[in-house]
Structure formats: structure tokens, C-alpha cells
């Protein structure tokens, strides 16, 4: 993987991140894992963006930073990554790094649930207890018009999006 990863092969970069995260064939090293996930994430890889968001959420291999976690979750979620959609919903539900926004939380949980995220329907049931009928309708409307879109290489490599 390393040779391909060093030549900017996105899949190899992601897989090298996984190897370092798990200690599979290399010594376990969260900092090195984050480095390779970031390289793939910057090229628009949704899986790597989602994992990098989690790393920033928990301070695994990087300094804990909810603003950066939110950025990476959003980029992956907007591409249709189910785990990032669930995580983004949780960020909005808990108000971690952003103001609590039950409409956005419900929207992302609806999208994650539609893709089979097991916990998303449970979270939706909790959220709905604190939402008005109009808020639920707005969240459902937002989920209904959502269309995942892959990042272009130009946008993915733009430093302003990191």
C-alpha cells in the first residue's frame, strides 16, 4: 500500500490508514493512521473523511477538535456516507461544537436510517419527543430533497475545505 499511497492513490492511502489504525502489518500508530486518512480525505474519499471526523471527535491520533470533526463528517455525509450521516446527526442532537439543532439531527438520522444505521431510528424516537410537528415536517422535507454528491478532485484538494 505504501508505494501506491505515496503516489496519491486514494484507496491505498485509506488502506494504509486502516493498517496503522489496527496495527495490521505495521506497528499500531494513530498519528500515522490520521496522516494517511487525511491524505485520502483531502482527495474526496468519504470513508476516510468519516473516519477522520471520528478521530477528531475522540482525539485519536489528532487533537480533539469538534469543529474539524464536524467539517469532515459533513463532507462525508453529503456524499452519502451512512456512518458520517449518523455521526453528524449525533453532533447536532448533542450540540457538540455546534448549537443543538434537532431539525438537522432528525434529517441526518432519517438519511442514516434509510441506509440501515441500526441506532438511527432509536435516536429519531428520542428527538421527536422534543420537536414540534412543524419541526419534524421540516426535517423530513430536508431529508426528502437530499441528494448525495461526490466531491470533485478540485474541491477535495482545495485547502480551504480542510
Amino acid at each position: 500500500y505504501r508505494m501506491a499511497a505515496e503516489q496519491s492513490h486514494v484507496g491505498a492511502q485509506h488502506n494504509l490508514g486502516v493498517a496503522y489504525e489496527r496495527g495490521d502489518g505495521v506497528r499500531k500508530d494513530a498519528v500515522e493512521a490520521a496522516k494517511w486518512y487525511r491524505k485520502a480525505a483531502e482527495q474526496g474519499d468519504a470513508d476516510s473523511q468519516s473516519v477522520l471526523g471520528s478521530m477528531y471527535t475522540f482525539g485519536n491520533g489528532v487533537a480533539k477538535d469538534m469543529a474539524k470533526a464536524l467539517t469532515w463528517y459533513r463532507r462525508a455525509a453529503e456524499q452519502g456516507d451512512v456512518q458520517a450521516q449518523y455521526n453528524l446527526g449525533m453532533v447536532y442532537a448533542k450540540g457538540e461544537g455546534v448549537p443543538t439543532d434537532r431539525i438537522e439531527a432528525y434529517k441526518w438520522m432519517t438519511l442514516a436510517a434509510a441506509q440501515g444505521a441500526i441506532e438511527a431510528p432509536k435516536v429519531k424516537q428520542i428527538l421527536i419527543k422534543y420537536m414540534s410537528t412543524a419541526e419534524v415536517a421540516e426535517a423530513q422535507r430536508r431529508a426528502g430533497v437530499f441528494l448525495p454528491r461526490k466531491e470533485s478532485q478540485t474541491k477535495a484538494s482545495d485547502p480551504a475545505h480542510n
Side-chain angles (χ1 to χ4, degrees):
Y1 291 131
R2 181 172 304 283
M3 287 176 57
E6 289 172 350
Q7 293 178 21
S8 299
H9 186 279
V10 173
Q13 290 170 335
H14 177 83
N15 290 338
L16 195 52
V18 170
Y20 276 107
E21 184 176 21
R22 295 180 182 167
D24 188 12
V26 293
R27 72 173 161 36
K28 192 172 183 177
D29 185 338
V31 172
E32 193 70 10
K35 169 186 153 182
W36 290 107
Y37 283 133
R38 181 176 291 104
K39 288 179 180 292
E42 288 170 347
Q43 292 190 72
D45 182 65
D47 289 338
S48 297
Q49 292 168 344
S50 182
V51 172
L52 198 53
S54 292
M55 294 180 93
Y56 277 109
T57 297
F58 299 105
N60 182 23
V62 294
K64 184 175 179 174
D65 186 329
M66 286 309 297
K68 287 182 180 178
L70 182 70
T71 296
W72 290 114
Y73 285 150
R74 179 171 302 286
R75 286 177 64 177
E78 288 177 352
Q79 292 190 75
D81 183 273
V82 63
Q83 188 62 52
Q85 289 174 342
Y86 177 83
N87 289 340
L88 188 56
M90 289 302 294
V91 167
Y92 280 113
K94 293 179 179 180
E96 293 179 327
V98 293
T100 300
D101 186 336
R102 291 185 188 97
I103 294 172
E104 277 297 293
Y106 195 94
K107 168 190 136 180
W108 290 112
M109 287 300 164
T110 298
L111 292 166
Q115 293 192 73
I118 296 169
E119 295 296 319
K122 295 174 190 173
V123 176
K124 285 176 60 177
Q125 289 305 310
I126 294 168
L127 287 168
I128 206 167
K129 293 177 184 177
Y130 302 97
M131 296 173 71
S132 69
T133 304
E135 288 173 325
V136 172
E138 175 59 17
Q140 290 171 333
R141 184 196 68 75
R142 290 180 190 180
V145 299
F146 173 80
L147 291 173
R149 57 189 181 280
K150 294 293 179 192
E151 291 186 359
S152 68
Q153 289 297 315
T154 304
K155 177 180 176 185
S157 62
D158 181 354
H161 288 85
N162 296 333

